[in-house]
Amino acid sequence: MKNDTKNIPWHSRFDLPSITFILFLLLALGSLPALEGSGRDLDYLGNFLRFLDQFFPPDWSILGQTMEGLWETIQIAAISTLLASFISLFLSLAAARTISPAWLVIITRMILNMIRTIPSLLWAILAVVLVGSNSLAGVIALSFYSVGYLAKFFSEAFESADLKAQKALQSLGANRWQAFQYGLWPNLKPVIWSHCLWMLEYNVRSASIIGYVGAGGIGLHLKLYAESADSWNKFSLVLICMLVIVTLLDLTGEKVRKSIRAKLEGNKVL
Amino acid sequence: MKPQESCLLEVRDLHLRIEDRWLARDLSFSLSKGEFIGIIGSSGSGKTTLLRAINGETKAESGSIKIGAESKLPVGMIHQDLELAEGSTALNNALSGSLLRHAWTDTLFGFPKEEKEKAIELLETLGLSRKVNQWTSTLSRGERQRLAIARTLLAEPLILLADEPVASLDSDWAIKTLDLLNDFAKQKQAGVICSLHDPKQVEEFADKVIRIDSTNPEQWKVEELS
């Protein structure tokens, strides 16, 4: 017994998670110089308290125009999510291993990876260059950005879908489209809707910031207040409004997704 | 030999096996219009494999399965694992059995009214009238089994293959359901082949019984029941 324990090689106790954890710790320790900041002797706490003081009380006089900006943000998010969902449905068919040939899957997935690599703010800069500084730029930017994610999620949904009902309908005489519409799509629809809702929430958050580079929405208000002196109380009102809207959307989305999951798992939840 | 006019299906010298295990050798039988055939055998004896071979899902080792004397007849199968669209309502799942009668453009935005009425009536007969708009995933196993039966009956096949269709039903519903399948065979002049576990049910409903025993693949028996 004793000999057996001795024969176990020392490195066998290191599995992939423990190796990556050690590497992460080494990287974090090696990154300590990032904490140095400017190197000047600044009163960090005092600065923070002064800054916080300028935030409150929020300036409620700009509530009307803030709500207008937020409404534009929601519009940008909604239309870009809708556009991206349509485009993603077709792209996801090309990216699903169970549906398309390997060469098409590889090419489509490479394109989707490239789209995801570029952050939404960069897409917004590109769109502003293309169509100018307006909400259309925001729609274009977020549509591209969302396609990268939604097409990936949808293709995974297609790949993991149960094909038995579809095949059963084909064996009962339905053609391929009918078998897809009534055998496969009902199982996919709730999952796909759940992904769209998540993307909508995400896009409302993204649409709030892309205005910073001129792509419409509330981001432009944030930029103006951040750059003008003594406007931090206006800035804080915009942040509060954004927080309320995003939280409400998150809670609603989560409730709907939870209900969808429960129903698919066979629980009677409305 | 030319099959008779009333003959819907003729199985001749069928050899069935799964990997190295023989399930049946030289199995022969025929199915006529209005006939109800029961298949009986222990679990793993090859009842499902035989039904799947007739439905064209599994290839037999040798022998012939002739469906229809001249032209191919519509075949419908109630699978043991039901194969329903879980995210669809019970009504739409039932209605999807009728798809073969319609062009895809006719069912793109829903089903014709007369099909809906027929489906609701059948779901009522099967005790599912209150569940029509409920997601299939939220139905019990017994309800889902009855729904799968409704879907296949709405396809109106001339050969109906049923793989243990009453396995999850209580005795009352099992009898009602087998009655329904029997009536379907007699009224539509269709043939039903149904695998069952309960010999009493076979005796009560079947016109003919196929007894298979994979421990002795040559010793299958086809018996007429009075």
Side-chain angles (χ1 to χ4, degrees), chain A residues 155-166:
Chain A
S155 68
E156 283 167 1
F158 276 116
E159 283 176 359
S160 58
D162 189 354
L163 302 174
K164 279 182 183 169
Q166 188 186 12

Side-chain angles (χ1 to χ4, degrees), chain A residues 162-191 259-269, chain B residues 55 57 75-77 79 81-88 92-93 96-97 99-100 102-105 107-111 131 134-135 137-140 143 151-152 155 157:
Chain A
D162 189 354
L163 302 174
K164 279 182 183 169
Q166 188 186 12
K167 285 181 182 163
L169 291 187
Q170 276 183 294
S171 91
L172 281 176
N175 65 34
R176 282 185 76 176
W177 169 257
Q178 289 173 321
F180 171 81
Q181 189 187 351
Y182 288 98
L184 186 62
W185 181 243
N187 294 344
L188 285 174
K189 196 169 59 178
V191 182
S259 164
I260 289 171
R261 274 198 303 274
K263 274 178 119 179
L264 277 179
E265 284 160 13
N267 303 320
K268 291 169 190 172
V269 177
Chain B
N55 200 32
E57 295 172 39
V75 181
M77 181 157 168
H79 289 86
D81 53 2
L82 309 179
E83 306 188 346
L84 294 162
E86 300 293 331
S88 191
N92 268 352
N93 252 313
S96 62
L99 285 168
L100 79 165
H102 303 283
W104 71 275
T105 45
T107 54
L108 195 59
F109 302 107
F111 288 86
K131 312 278 178 169
Q134 208 166 303
W135 274 24
S137 56
T138 64
L139 302 180
S140 71
E143 288 167 341
R151 182 180 66 181
T152 310

Side-chain angles (χ1 to χ4, degrees), chain A residues 142-214:
Chain A
L142 287 186
S143 297
F144 267 99
Y145 184 70
S146 306
V147 161
Y149 282 94
L150 283 182
K152 180 183 177 340
F153 295 155
F154 291 179
S155 68
E156 283 167 1
F158 276 116
E159 283 176 359
S160 58
D162 189 354
L163 302 174
K164 279 182 183 169
Q166 188 186 12
K167 285 181 182 163
L169 291 187
Q170 276 183 294
S171 91
L172 281 176
N175 65 34
R176 282 185 76 176
W177 169 257
Q178 289 173 321
F180 171 81
Q181 189 187 351
Y182 288 98
L184 186 62
W185 181 243
N187 294 344
L188 285 174
K189 196 169 59 178
V191 182
I192 282 179
W193 176 229
S194 177
H195 289 317
C196 290
L197 269 181
W198 177 85
M199 202 71 236
L200 178 66
E201 291 163 38
Y202 190 95
N203 278 344
V204 170
R205 278 190 287 264
S206 295
S208 308
I209 199 65
I210 55 171
Y212 230 89
V213 292

Side-chain angles (χ1 to χ4, degrees), chain A residues 46-60 225-237 239-240:
Chain A
N47 279 349
F48 176 70
L49 289 174
R50 264 194 305 281
F51 187 63
L52 204 64
D53 190 45
Q54 288 173 37
F55 260 61
F56 293 100
D59 183 354
W60 292 94
Y225 300 139
E227 285 175 354
S228 62
D230 301 329
S231 289
W232 289 111
N233 55 348
K234 292 187 172 81
F235 191 92
S236 70
L237 183 89
L239 283 185
I240 289 168

